[in-house]
Amino acid sequence: MSGQLYLVATPIGNLEDMTYRAVRVLQEVDLIAAEDTRNSIKLLNHFAIKTPMTSYHEFNRYDKAQWLVEQMQQGKNVACITDAGTPGISDPGEELVKQCYEAGIAVTALPGACACITALTASGQKTRRFSFEAFLPVDKKERKQTLEELREETRTIVLYEAPHRLVRTLEELLETLGDRRLTVCRELTKKHETFFQTKLTEAVVYYQANEPKGECVLVIEGKSRQELAQEQQKQWEALTLPEHMEVYLAKGMTKKEAMKQVAADRGMSKRDVYQALLEEI
C-alpha cells in the first residue's frame, strides 16, 4: 500500500506552539521533507525527533516532489514542514500536494501556527472577509498589476514583508491604495512581538525614521463599498448616456436591458434615460 503525506504546521517563533500531534507524527513518519534542514534540525533536536530529513524547497520543488511521491508509492509516510508555520502557505508545499493528488496519494494536514491568521485575528481589522497576498511580486510589472488589483479590494488585505523592504512597500501601498488604516504585526509569537495600529502615511514616516526589524505581516483595511460605489458613479457620470449604453450593448445586452442597467448606475428612472437618449439623437 502507498504511504501518506502529512502537512505538519510548526511554530512561527514560540516553540510552545508545537502541538502534541505534530511531534508524534514527525517521530512516526519515515521521512521529513523540510524547506531548510539547517533550520529544522533545531526544532527536531528540541523535541528529540530522530526522523531522517531531506531538503524540499523552492528551487527543487518539481523534481524533488516527484521523488517524494515515488517514496510514498513505495509505502513510506512523508511529513512536509516549512521553516515556520503551515506548509503550502507561501511556500513550495503546494506543488507536492498537487503531485500527490495526481498520483492518488492520500494527503492530510495537521493544523497549527500560521502567521497570516495569527496577524489577522490580533490586528483589530475586519476578519470576516480577507485577501491573502503573501509577499508582493518582485517583478516590477507584475508587482504594479497586483497593487492595482488591491486598490479595488473591499476585503481586508494581508501581506508578508521583510524588514529591509518594508519602507518601499509601505510607500507603494500609500501611493496606490491611498491613506488606509493598517496594523503592522511584527515578530509574531516572539519576545518582541508588536501590533502597531496606524495609517499608511504615519507608518511611512515612522519607519523612515526608525529602522524596521523582524519579519512583518501587514493587515490593511479594504476599500469601503461606499467609496467604491462613489468612484464607480463618477466614472459613469464622465460618460455620455450613449457611451454608457454602449458599454452594456457591447457586452451583448439588449437595448432594454442596457437601459435598465444605465438607469440603475446613474440613479435615474428608465423613462428619464429613454427621454434623455431621444433628446441626444
Side-chain angles (χ1 to χ4, degrees):
M1 294 180 62
S2 296
Q4 184 171 350
L5 175 66
Y6 296 83
L7 300 168
V8 181
T10 56
I12 57 177
N14 193 322
L15 290 178
E16 292 180 2
D17 293 333
M18 189 74 165
T19 69
Y20 290 112
R21 185 183 174 204
V23 173
R24 177 180 60 78
V25 167
L26 291 180
Q27 289 172 334
E28 293 177 354
V29 294
D30 300 293
L31 182 65
I32 298 172
E35 189 174 10
D36 187 337
T37 56
R38 296 167 300 179
N39 179 69
S40 295
I41 192 63
K42 301 172 187 176
L43 177 74
L44 268 58
N45 286 341
H46 182 83
F47 290 102
I49 298 168
K50 306 297 183 182
T51 307
M53 277 194 297
T54 186
S55 62
Y56 178 60
H57 48 72
E58 180 68 22
F59 302 104
N60 69 357
R61 60 180 175 177
Y62 298 108
D63 295 340
K64 195 58 174 285
Q66 185 176 359
W67 181 83
L68 288 168
V69 167
E70 291 171 357
Q71 299 305 301
M72 286 179 272
Q73 288 173 327
Q74 295 170 19
K76 292 184 178 179
N77 289 317
V78 176
C80 178
I81 61 176
T82 183
D83 283 348
T86 300
I89 301 296
S90 190
D91 73 33
E94 63 177 325
E95 176 60 28
L96 178 57
V97 173
K98 176 176 175 289
Q99 290 197 27
C100 280
Y101 274 102
E102 291 173 349
I105 300 293
V107 178
T108 190
L110 280 64
C114 179
C116 167
I117 299 301
T118 302
L120 177 66
T121 54
S123 68
Q125 307 292 346
K126 294 180 179 179
T127 61
R128 190 176 70 84
R129 301 168 61 249
F130 68 95
S131 170
F132 175 59
E133 285 291 334
F135 290 94
L136 289 173
V138 176
D139 179 78
K140 288 184 179 180
K141 184 177 179 180
E142 189 179 355
R143 188 181 182 91
K144 183 178 180 181
Q145 183 179 359
T146 300
L147 286 167
E148 285 298 324
E149 291 171 355
L150 292 178
R151 190 173 71 85
E152 305 303 322
E153 181 60 72
T154 59
R155 296 170 294 181
T156 299
I157 301 164
V158 184
L159 299 174
Y160 290 163
E161 194 50 277
H164 65 280
R165 294 193 300 262
L166 181 63
V167 172
R168 174 197 168 197
T169 295
L170 289 171
E171 290 172 342
E172 290 177 326
L173 288 168
L174 176 60
E175 181 181 354
T176 308
L177 308 183
D179 196 16
R180 305 267 187 95
R181 292 191 310 116
L182 84 154
T183 306
V184 181
C185 310
R186 190 179 66 85
E187 292 288 84
L188 292 171
T189 76
K190 299 177 184 178
K191 182 179 179 180
H192 299 292
E193 173 186 82
T194 58
F195 295 93
F196 178 27
Q197 281 195 335
T198 183
K199 298 190 77 172
L200 280 167
T201 48
E202 297 166 356
V204 168
V205 172
Y206 178 82
Y207 286 110
Q208 284 175 340
N210 299 272
E211 182 183 359
K213 295 180 180 178
E215 297 297 319
C216 295
V217 182
L218 307 179
V219 186
I220 310 161
E221 70 173 345
K223 177 177 284 189
S224 70
R225 294 185 182 278
Q226 182 180 6
E227 185 182 359
L228 199 62
Q230 289 172 347
E231 289 184 0
Q232 186 67 70
Q233 183 71 23
K234 289 179 181 179
Q235 291 176 7
W236 292 137
E237 291 173 354
L239 300 176
T240 64
L241 276 172
E243 289 172 339
H244 197 161
M245 281 285 292
E246 188 56 39
V247 170
Y248 293 116
L249 292 173
K251 293 180 179 180
M253 286 188 179
T254 64
K255 287 185 178 180
K256 184 177 180 181
E257 292 170 335
M259 197 175 298
K260 181 179 179 181
Q261 190 59 55
V262 168
D265 291 342
R266 291 177 176 257
M268 300 170 62
S269 69
K270 286 187 290 183
R271 178 178 295 181
D272 288 342
V273 171
Y274 179 72
Q275 187 61 41
L277 287 170
L278 285 178
E279 292 173 0
E280 293 199 26
I281 295 176

